[in-house]
Amino acid sequence: MESHNCWHCGKQAAESLFCRYCNSLQRPKQDYFRFMGLEPRLNLDAAELQKRFYSLSRLLHPDRFNRASATEKQYSLEATAILNDAYRTLRDPVTRAEYMLQEEGFENGVHNNKEVPPELLEEVFDLNMALEELRGGDHGARPQLERARERFLGLRREVDESLKKLYTAYDATKDRQRLVEIRGLLNRRRYIQNLVSEVEKELAP
Ligand SMILES: [Zn+2]
């Protein structure tokens, strides 16, 4: 981990949030994993992440810096904002992987893919027909849509299981090819999720 000089006392030892010589709050790191004190990994222990979030929230709370210098006040605000974004991003396995892809230089992380995966063409076609019927007032289409929802939720579960295996493989090897595969699955997952949301919107009473 790179070190820098403390903005307050100038000593070259400020690697953590607070300088270990003068205890001044340092400019917060932008990297979500490092900020949380974690190695960049796709499989994270949710309980551990939450524990770190709460303890950092307390340490960085702007109320604790009421009487601090303007620099520390500013850093505590910045750090609190980063902390909240980091926690929100890292606690969800999908947004965590999207973040990792971005950090590893995959342009835009995941694309919002509107193209139908070829193996789903027929099902998506049937689904759109049923959606049209329901929108047109034909409630006979409801059972078909309910079945479609179950089917797509099942596909989403399959994607999630495959993702979990790839996360483990990537953490163990740091092989970029695994990230390429993960990106493909995240695109597929997003496509499926959009279908599920669309069906649920129409089925909502
Ligand atoms: Zn210092």
Side-chain angles (χ1 to χ4, degrees):
M1 201 177 285
E2 87 276 23
S3 64
H4 64 274
N5 294 341
C6 170
W7 65 272
H8 185 248
C9 73
K11 291 199 171 121
Q12 203 201 11
E15 290 168 7
S16 55
L17 277 166
F18 295 91
C19 172
R20 68 176 157 123
Y21 294 105
C22 72
N23 208 33
S24 307
L25 180 60
Q26 303 295 299
R27 179 188 291 279
K29 294 180 176 62
Q30 303 292 322
D31 176 301
Y32 291 166
F33 289 103
R34 305 264 183 234
F35 186 90
M36 302 297 275
L38 296 164
E39 284 302 308
R41 288 172 63 85
L42 287 173
N43 280 317
L44 287 185
D45 179 347
E48 170 68 20
L49 185 70
Q50 193 187 46
K51 210 173 75 185
R52 283 168 188 257
F53 171 70
Y54 286 129
S55 104
L56 286 168
S57 297
R58 280 193 297 273
L59 272 178
L60 295 168
H61 200 282
D63 286 353
R64 291 190 64 231
F65 297 88
N66 272 337
R67 292 192 290 171
S69 65
T71 305
E72 280 188 292
K73 276 199 183 95
Q74 182 57 34
Y75 286 169
S76 89
L77 290 173
E78 285 174 23
T80 300
I82 297 172
L83 175 65
N84 291 327
D85 289 346
Y87 185 54
R88 204 180 313 119
T89 302
L90 295 185
R91 74 180 162 179
D92 177 68
V94 169
T95 51
R96 184 193 312 145
E98 287 171 356
Y99 178 72
M100 181 76 93
L101 285 169
Q102 254 177 53
E103 289 296 292
E104 290 300 319
F106 286 78
E107 195 90 6
N108 300 326
V110 177
H111 303 290
N112 206 351
N113 195 355
K114 296 263 183 250
E115 228 168 276
V116 189
E119 74 281 11
L120 294 181
L121 265 174
E122 205 173 320
E123 278 175 280
V124 171
F125 181 79
D126 289 345
L127 177 69
N128 285 330
M129 294 286 282
L131 282 170
E132 282 304 308
E133 284 165 31
L134 188 64
R135 285 178 190 130
D138 178 2
H139 288 269
R142 286 186 80 90
Q144 192 194 340
L145 285 173
E146 276 156 13
R147 280 196 304 276
R149 175 177 57 190
E150 289 317 303
R151 159 92 176 127
F152 288 116
L153 285 174
L155 288 175
R156 194 181 70 187
R157 272 195 301 277
E158 281 173 24
V159 169
D160 286 342
E161 280 161 27
S162 306
L163 277 173
K164 208 166 162 30
K165 284 180 198 145
L166 281 169
Y167 288 0
T168 304
Y170 176 73
D171 286 344
T173 60
K174 302 287 177 205
D175 179 355
R176 279 183 78 79
Q177 185 52 37
R178 298 291 86 76
L179 291 181
V180 173
E181 291 165 29
I182 287 167
R183 181 168 64 169
L185 276 179
L186 288 175
N187 278 331
R188 183 178 163 83
R189 191 187 195 284
R190 183 172 293 191
Y191 186 85
I192 293 167
Q193 182 55 45
N194 285 343
L195 290 177
V196 170
S197 303
E198 208 178 334
V199 172
E200 283 180 344
K201 198 177 79 196
E202 293 302 326
L203 284 176

